[in-house]
Amino acid sequence: MALSKLTNAVIAASNENTLGLANFNFDFSLVKLDAPKEFAPLGSALTVQRRTVAEDGPVHQTVRKLGALFEQLLPSTPRLIQAYGIRVTKIIQSPGVNPKGSTADGPFESYVGADGTSIWAAATSGPASISVLLLAFILARKFEDAKISTAIWAQLVHERQEEIKQSLEDGHIVSASSAMAARQTLSRNDLAIFDASARAWLSSADSAKRLQQDQLMLILRNIPSWVSTGPSTYSKVITAWKAAMQGMEDILNCKPQQISDGAILLAISAWHLYPDLIVLHSKPTKVSFKDPLVPSEAIITIGLDSTNAEMNRGIRWSLTLSHLRHYGDPVKVDNSESNTRITVEQLVIVGFGAFMSTWGFRPKYFPEAASLVIAIWNCLLKGRTPEKELRKTFMYLFWAAKSARSVLSSLKSHPDKTTMLLGFGSRRSAKFFSAQNTDTLPASGLCSDLILQSLSTYSSIECGIRYFRRLTALLGLPGSDAIIVYIDTEASDDSANHLVFATAAELPSTKPKRLPDGVEKNTSRHIRWIHEVSDGKPKKCSTECYGEFKRKFASSRMEEELFTLQGELPKTSEEHIDWGDPPLEYTSAHQNTRPNGSTQTKIRVSFTKLIGYHHLMALFVKCRDKTQIKRLKGYCSSFQKLNVSLHSAQEAFKSAVHPDTLKIYLTILQNPVSVSNCQAHIFMMSPSEEIQPSTLSSLKALLIASAVYDQFPSATVPLKITSASIAHAKWLPSDSSIYSGNILQSISRSEAFACIAMFESGVNIEPNQLGRVIAISAENSIFVTSLLLSDPMERLPPASMKRVAGNIGEPGVCLLVVPEEPRVRPINDDYSLVMHADYDGNRVDKFQGTSLHLSFTGWKVPIVWGADDYIDQDVHFLGAIVSVRDQGSWVADIDILKTLPHTINSGLAAHATSLCCTCPRPAGSLEGDFVSIDNWNEVLDIPQNAAIVRSHTNWWARLAISSILRRLHPQRHAILVNQQVECWKCFGSDQAWLSEWLRVILID
């Protein structure tokens, strides 16, 4: 027989055996192998629940099947698997990464800790499954949208199964496990759960290796690199996967490399293995990570992008996904961003960069602008308005000043990273704040030389006067060629206002001043002339009118001359002043027509409005030529944009700017519609554009989010939140007073949950849809209402939350919803189970066997239905049950949201909280006929007379008992006893208790 025929016969026989094994009724995915010794400490560190799922649950089966599917395609990488096992062990042993659950975590105790489920499942499934796990980390790192990575997995599985089936038909050798895996089902939900576990681990590992990870990502974001090419998504991913594994294996075998393939760079960031780098930029720079798991000789050389074009930065991976949507053409995904999470403090820096960009500053000036913002806020604090009111009115400035301090501090400790975060915020301002690109004056004009000099006085009118006089000086106009006309709306007499003409520049005195030595000296001074305005018409100023105005000048300490107008009154219109008999100072050019200086000959002078509002205050110039007027107006526009240095602006706010005038100016910018008459002159000089409402709303959202997330010191948020607007967040309260006090006290629990949901997923949810939500699970965090993790006696703000480090093992963001009618165990008819013995006065805990547990009903509904026809959804409502167990036996399910707020009689509870014992010897027992409730049977079958539940210092038992008693017996008074109460006599001495004393149930 020919050799080729013999070979074909052997292959045919082999494939027949393979098909026979594949058809054999045996689920190979249930097989568990011994994990490599490097991974062993991880298994010991996992919770019992996670280890069980990893060894025997669906995650183990998923990883085992995936490993069998792809095992024949993957290179052998023993050094990589060994190094990764050691790295995983070091991470899980890092402080704070894998906290142990305790009773303080309530029903979430078994979900606490780092999610290493997928890692242990892979470790106990063989080397191929570990390789699959490494690809999961790459996809989770690269694609922040879990829908995309799930769709990639679904596409890979489908095409690999078809490839194996075709290989069998073509007579190629296929392993038995691959053939079996090709015939088994891998659901999208199983793939999504596997991906979710990988993402949760990445978050935990990133926090453990924060320093190295931040340093690496700063470099990788500036590298122009592509991840693999190929004819299909399947071939691209397989090529990148193999390249990453083989490249890292070579590095660990001491082979230096020059890398341009983004797959290896992605792998470095996803696997937390850090070789030293040589970065080629303007000059070669070595970045030493000193990773003990990577040989020091294995150095990677990479090139850093020298251009500023953002589109050239980052690692790009373009894939076409046919398994992303239910219907339609394949979707192209071209991504240069990685799945990056940042701390809330870093998000504040990004937000500050976005705000500074919308406020007219370029990134290079952000540090100085931060100091300026602080100076502006401190100037406001010097005024007469209380800080609480300022925070309410100028929330955005309060936030900006607070954030500016954080920015300046961060610039000192982490200058490069802070600068990049600020720049990122500047580039994302249009999306993040929904800000329109406008040519805005820096700081809304508060760096303008004109405005800064004008704001140095307390009076709105005098601000306008200074503004026009400074503008006249910049224009270089002589005093006789310009005049300011305004209506004095600050007069004390409401029946009449004053029409005032004021010099725009100092005029030489018509009468020289004689000095003490007898020498005459020409002097310059400012002058004002007044008319009285009554019924909208000017008339000559009376003696009383002049006296009032003079008194006002004296009280204001204005060193200006004041006169009443004599002769013919000027004729004023919107654009012109026609003056038949002006003051002598404005007729100096015509003195030759006045014999001997006589004023009997009238000389007509005309002025044209240059800038301002004729009915408030305007600057007029002695000019009729339209071309010249147009040129002067152009100069005015240029001078209005003339800014001083940021340092000079800071100094002005520290020493010159009047805080109350500044407040008026800022109020007008924020709400120009509500300008009063006394503020109109400041409005006149303010920039035409107001602060964009979307910017204000965005800053409000950031302020609330900061308050919410400040409760979670270790929490991070996805950087992708900056790619969408937060200006229209549905959880933003309409009441501005919340910004002046404790925000957590002023917003609701539902609004806080809606805020968290948006920052974790980007979904904008109506708070009224979240009334039944008790917690949100996202990646490696569970955000829980503090009501569920605190003694029911505690007075908590409505938005008080706690973060549990862990997850519930479900993909995406899950909002846990409790049922409205929880179940309770029926009363047992066995009379021997209930004693209700007389209370002996001992304050003990008889409910030590009580525990709270979390389980799920199986109800799961996506919040966003059919968005873009995606097969997978990111955010779900998930039915959850909080159960009470006694020595492991189920007692009841509780609903703290519905019952707990009504369980505590606020008056009595508050009385008990503030009660101080004054007895020489505290009484050890209660007066009256009290019986003890010492077990759950006695709780469910309560006595008719007064009783005391003995659960002293056991908060979770007190929580459960309070909730259940209120639900089962709403007519009975269930009163929580303060755990600090020492004297029963004092506790029961208040006469207000007596009417219900015989039926009260005290929960100690």
Side-chain angles (χ1 to χ4, degrees):
M1 182 183 291
L3 180 60
S4 60
K5 293 183 178 180
L6 178 62
T7 302
N8 289 336
V10 170
I11 293 174
S14 174
N15 282 344
E16 286 180 6
N17 292 332
T18 299
L19 286 171
L21 286 172
N23 292 323
F24 184 65
N25 188 20
F26 169 69
D27 191 352
F28 75 97
S29 66
L30 296 176
V31 175
K32 182 179 68 174
L33 306 177
D34 290 334
K37 63 179 182 180
E38 293 82 10
F39 289 84
L42 171 69
S44 303
L46 295 179
T47 62
V48 174
Q49 177 174 307
R50 286 201 175 98
R51 181 159 181 159
T52 300
V53 172
E55 294 178 350
D56 305 310
V59 176
H60 181 88
Q61 297 176 47
T62 300
V63 176
R64 188 94 168 88
K65 292 175 184 178
L66 289 172
L69 268 179
F70 296 99
E71 62 182 358
Q72 289 185 277
L73 301 180
L74 303 175
S76 175
T77 55
R79 291 294 300 273
L80 172 59
I81 291 176
Q82 180 188 40
Y84 190 71
I86 297 173
R87 177 51 31 92
V88 164
T89 296
K90 295 293 185 183
I91 288 174
I92 201 71
Q93 294 172 344
S94 299
V97 170
N98 189 40
K100 301 299 180 184
S102 67
T103 54
D105 300 304
F108 298 91
E109 180 177 355
S110 60
Y111 298 93
V112 175
D115 186 356
T117 307
S118 58
I119 301 176
W120 189 245
T124 56
S125 298
S129 295
I130 297 176
S131 299
V132 166
L133 176 73
L134 295 177
L135 174 59
F137 289 140
I138 289 178
L139 295 178
R141 173 67 75 203
K142 184 57 188 169
F143 299 103
E144 60 188 7
D145 190 343
K147 293 193 299 291
I148 293 176
S149 52
T150 301
I152 292 173
W153 275 117
Q155 195 162 335
L156 291 178
V157 168
H158 173 75
E159 296 196 27
R160 178 57 181 160
Q161 287 179 332
E162 293 299 314
E163 187 178 60
I164 291 173
K165 292 174 184 178
Q166 188 63 47
S167 296
L168 289 169
E169 292 179 7
D170 294 344
H172 299 303
I173 295 178
V174 178
S175 69
S177 56
S178 293
M180 284 188 282
R183 292 174 176 268
Q184 295 195 6
T185 301
L186 271 166
S187 71
R188 294 182 75 98
N189 187 59
D190 290 339
L191 294 172
I193 291 174
F194 172 51
D195 175 74
S197 179
R199 290 174 183 274
W201 172 260
L202 276 186
S203 294
S204 298
D206 286 349
S207 65
K209 308 297 291 184
R210 178 67 62 195
L211 182 62
Q212 296 92 330
Q213 198 68 17
D214 285 350
Q215 188 177 10
L216 176 66
M217 296 310 293
L218 285 175
I219 298 171
L220 297 190
R221 289 193 187 102
N222 289 280
I223 295 175
S225 178
W226 281 85
V227 179
S228 69
T229 57
S232 67
T233 293
Y234 177 77
S235 63
K236 288 179 181 179
V237 175
I238 297 300
T239 300
W241 185 6
K242 294 164 67 174
M245 293 188 64
Q246 190 60 60
M248 189 60 74
E249 182 75 9
D250 291 343
I251 291 171
L252 294 172
N253 283 315
C254 301
K255 296 180 181 179
Q257 299 186 40
Q258 181 167 349
I259 292 178
S260 59
D261 189 347
I264 300 177
L265 301 175
L266 263 181
I268 293 172
S269 69
W271 300 342
H272 301 93
L273 295 169
Y274 305 100
D276 292 345
L277 307 177
I278 292 181
V279 181
L280 302 178
H281 192 32
S282 55
K283 63 177 182 179
T285 303
K286 184 176 182 180
V287 181
S288 296
F289 289 98
K290 298 180 181 180
D291 190 335
L293 298 182
V294 181
S296 58
E297 302 88 350
I299 300 176
I300 292 181
T301 303
I302 56 178
L304 192 65
D305 186 16
S306 59
T307 69
N308 291 324
E310 187 179 351
M311 62 178 296
N312 293 328
R313 298 176 181 175
I315 303 173
R316 304 190 72 91
W317 200 355
S318 180
L319 301 174
T320 302
L321 305 181
S322 59
H323 288 249
L324 184 61
R325 293 177 178 170
H326 288 286
Y327 176 80
D329 295 328
V331 180
K332 185 176 181 180
V333 178
D334 188 353
N335 185 290
S336 63
E337 297 288 342
S338 296
N339 182 10
T340 305
R341 296 182 70 91
I342 58 175
T343 64
V344 178
E345 291 79 9
Q346 291 169 338
L347 181 64
V348 167
I349 295 173
V350 171
F352 185 81
F355 175 54
M356 289 294 99
S357 180
T358 63
W359 225 24
F361 292 103
R362 288 184 291 168
K364 65 180 293 185
Y365 298 113
F366 284 178
E368 287 184 275
S371 298
L372 175 63
V373 170
I374 296 172
I376 293 172
W377 181 252
N378 288 341
C379 179
L380 281 173
L381 293 178
K382 297 176 184 176
R384 295 174 293 179
T385 307
E387 181 177 0
K388 187 175 181 179
E389 185 66 25
L390 289 174
R391 288 176 57 175
K392 174 182 174 181
T393 307
F394 306 114
M395 172 283 310
Y396 71 99
L397 264 183
F398 165 69
W399 177 89
K402 181 181 177 182
S403 302
R405 295 184 181 93
S406 299
V407 167
L408 293 177
S409 175
S410 185
L411 281 169
K412 292 180 181 178
S413 55
H414 304 95
D416 293 340
K417 184 175 182 179
T418 305
T419 300
M420 296 186 77
L421 288 169
L422 289 170
F424 182 87
S426 176
R427 297 191 298 274
R428 293 296 184 276
S429 60
K431 293 182 178 179
F432 196 26
F433 283 7
S434 292
Q436 300 176 357
N437 293 323
T438 58
D439 187 16
T440 306
L441 289 176
S444 298
L446 289 175
C447 292
S448 165
D449 173 61
L450 279 168
I451 292 175
L452 284 175
Q453 293 209 29
S454 304
L455 293 179
S456 58
T457 181
Y458 74 95
S459 163
S460 170
I461 287 179
E462 294 309 311
C463 282
I465 293 291
R466 292 192 182 192
Y467 184 84
F468 285 145
R469 285 176 173 172
R470 177 60 178 166
L471 185 59
T472 301
L474 292 172
L475 291 170
L477 295 174
S480 59
D481 284 356
I483 193 167
I484 301 168
V485 183
Y486 68 93
I487 300 293
D488 184 2
T489 55
E490 296 177 352
S492 58
D493 184 0
D494 294 334
S495 62
N497 289 324
H498 299 123
L499 175 64
V500 185
F501 295 79
T503 52
E506 289 186 335
L507 292 172
S509 176
T510 55
K511 296 181 179 180
K513 183 179 181 181
R514 187 178 298 277
L515 298 178
D517 58 3
V519 177
E520 291 186 348
K521 181 180 179 182
N522 291 324
T523 59
S524 299
R525 82 283 192 223
H526 277 295
I527 310 172
R528 298 191 197 187
W529 298 269
I530 62 172
H531 267 330
E532 185 177 350
V533 179
S534 182
D535 298 325
K537 297 180 181 180
K539 62 180 183 179
K540 292 184 179 180
C541 193
S542 63
T543 304
E544 293 77 9
C545 162
Y546 177 80
E548 178 193 352
F549 208 87
K550 189 73 173 177
R551 286 191 296 274
K552 174 185 170 182
F553 256 50
S555 63
S556 303
R557 298 181 180 177
M558 296 181 185
E559 297 180 358
E560 297 187 25
E561 295 184 13
L562 178 64
F563 301 100
T564 60
L565 278 176
Q566 303 295 325
E568 181 181 336
L569 296 179
K571 297 178 181 179
T572 61
S573 66
E574 185 172 344
E575 296 294 330
H576 299 285
I577 297 176
D578 189 29
W579 211 336
D581 190 17
L584 185 62
E585 286 77 6
Y586 286 92
T587 60
S588 57
H590 308 280
Q591 288 303 304
N592 58 346
T593 65
R594 293 192 179 193
N596 302 321
S598 170
T599 60
Q600 293 179 355
T601 303
K602 295 183 178 180
I603 300 175
R604 190 164 297 279
V605 178
S606 295
F607 293 88
T608 302
K609 190 185 77 174
L610 181 63
I611 187 173
Y613 302 92
H614 76 286
H615 59 284
L616 292 174
M617 178 181 290
L619 175 64
F620 289 79
V621 294
K622 196 184 292 183
C623 177
R624 283 283 188 175
D625 186 271
K626 292 183 178 180
T627 302
Q628 186 178 355
I629 290 293
K630 184 177 180 180
R631 185 170 61 252
L632 287 174
K633 287 184 177 181
Y635 291 152
C636 289
S637 179
S638 298
F639 288 136
Q640 286 172 324
K641 298 177 181 178
L642 184 64
N643 296 318
V644 300
S645 69
L646 290 178
H647 176 74
S648 298
Q650 290 177 46
E651 293 303 313
F653 284 106
K654 289 178 181 178
S655 58
V657 173
H658 196 286
D660 296 329
T661 312
L662 173 63
K663 179 191 171 186
I664 297 174
Y665 181 87
L666 293 171
T667 302
I668 292 169
L669 288 177
Q670 193 164 312
N671 190 10
V673 178
S674 62
V675 178
S676 63
N677 286 337
C678 64
Q679 300 171 342
H681 304 89
I682 297 180
F683 169 72
M684 174 191 59
M685 69 182 188
S686 63
S688 57
E689 69 273 4
E690 60 183 297
I691 297 177
Q692 297 181 34
S694 62
T695 297
L696 293 177
S697 296
S698 299
L699 294 176
K700 291 177 182 178
L702 272 180
L703 185 62
I704 292 176
S706 297
V708 171
Y709 273 88
D710 279 346
Q711 302 175 96
F712 325 126
S714 302
T716 58
V717 295
L719 193 56
K720 68 179 181 181
I721 187 64
T722 61
S723 298
S725 171
I726 60 172
H728 307 293
K730 296 177 181 178
W731 40 269
L732 276 178
S734 57
D735 184 6
S736 61
S737 64
I738 72 164
Y739 307 109
S740 61
N742 183 353
I743 290 178
L744 298 180
Q745 193 71 49
S746 304
I747 64 174
S748 68
R749 180 183 66 253
S750 297
E751 288 169 338
F753 272 136
C755 170
I756 294 172
M758 186 175 189
F759 273 75
E760 294 296 324
S761 68
V763 176
N764 195 5
I765 308 174
E766 287 282 0
N768 57 20
Q769 297 182 23
L770 308 183
R772 304 294 304 161
V773 173
I774 59 168
I776 294 179
S777 176
E779 292 203 359
N780 68 332
S781 298
I782 306 174
F783 305 97
V784 190
T785 173
S786 296
L787 289 174
L788 193 53
L789 301 178
S790 307
D791 188 280
M793 192 74 184
E794 282 191 48
R795 295 293 185 227
L796 300 168
S800 178
M801 303 275 172
K802 293 184 180 180
R803 174 183 176 260
V804 175
N807 67 28
I808 61 172
E810 288 286 334
V813 176
C814 293
L815 288 79
L816 308 190
V817 180
V818 292
E820 293 193 35
E821 298 295 332
R823 296 163 53 237
V824 180
R825 187 175 75 192
I827 297 176
N828 199 306
D829 291 333
D830 186 349
Y831 69 89
S832 65
L833 298 177
V834 177
M835 176 69 71
H836 288 156
D838 290 340
Y839 180 56
D840 60 8
N842 291 325
R843 305 187 71 187
V844 296
D845 177 19
K846 292 291 186 177
F847 291 82
Q848 295 180 8
T850 297
S851 56
L852 300 178
H853 299 266
L854 181 71
S855 58
F856 305 101
T857 64
W859 178 77
K860 185 176 182 179
V861 178
I863 289 181
V864 182
W865 287 86
D868 296 320
D869 199 34
Y870 287 131
I871 299 174
D872 304 293
Q873 297 295 336
D874 294 328
V875 189
H876 294 84
F877 285 124
L878 191 65
I881 301 171
V882 178
S883 300
V884 182
R885 292 185 177 271
D886 180 30
Q887 304 290 347
S889 298
W890 176 76
V891 175
D893 302 329
I894 61 173
D895 176 14
I896 61 164
L897 302 182
K898 186 174 182 181
T899 59
L900 188 58
H902 305 284
T903 300
I904 307 172
N905 183 305
S906 59
L908 296 176
H911 173 79
T913 300
S914 60
L915 188 63
C916 296
C917 176
T918 58
C919 302
R921 185 176 180 182
S925 62
L926 277 167
E927 296 181 3
D929 188 16
F930 276 80
V931 298
S932 298
I933 295 179
D934 290 345
N935 59 58
W936 277 102
N937 287 306
E938 295 181 350
V939 170
L940 299 177
D941 194 0
I942 62 171
Q944 295 300 310
N945 58 318
I948 182 164
V949 182
R950 298 206 288 179
S951 54
H952 190 59
T953 70
N954 186 338
W955 69 263
W956 55 97
R958 281 159 54 90
L959 180 71
I961 293 166
S962 300
S963 178
I964 292 172
L965 285 180
R966 176 59 189 174
R967 180 164 179 264
L968 295 181
H969 307 284
Q971 74 283 1
R972 296 289 294 273
H973 281 270
I975 299 171
L976 288 158
V977 178
N978 191 324
Q979 302 295 274
Q980 279 71 50
V981 169
E982 297 181 357
C983 179
W984 284 122
K985 180 179 178 181
C986 292
F987 181 78
S989 62
D990 196 312
Q991 295 299 314
W993 295 53
L994 296 181
S995 61
E996 290 293 335
W997 188 250
L998 295 179
R999 290 178 53 79
V1000 74
I1001 298 176
L1002 301 180
I1003 305 172
D1004 185 18

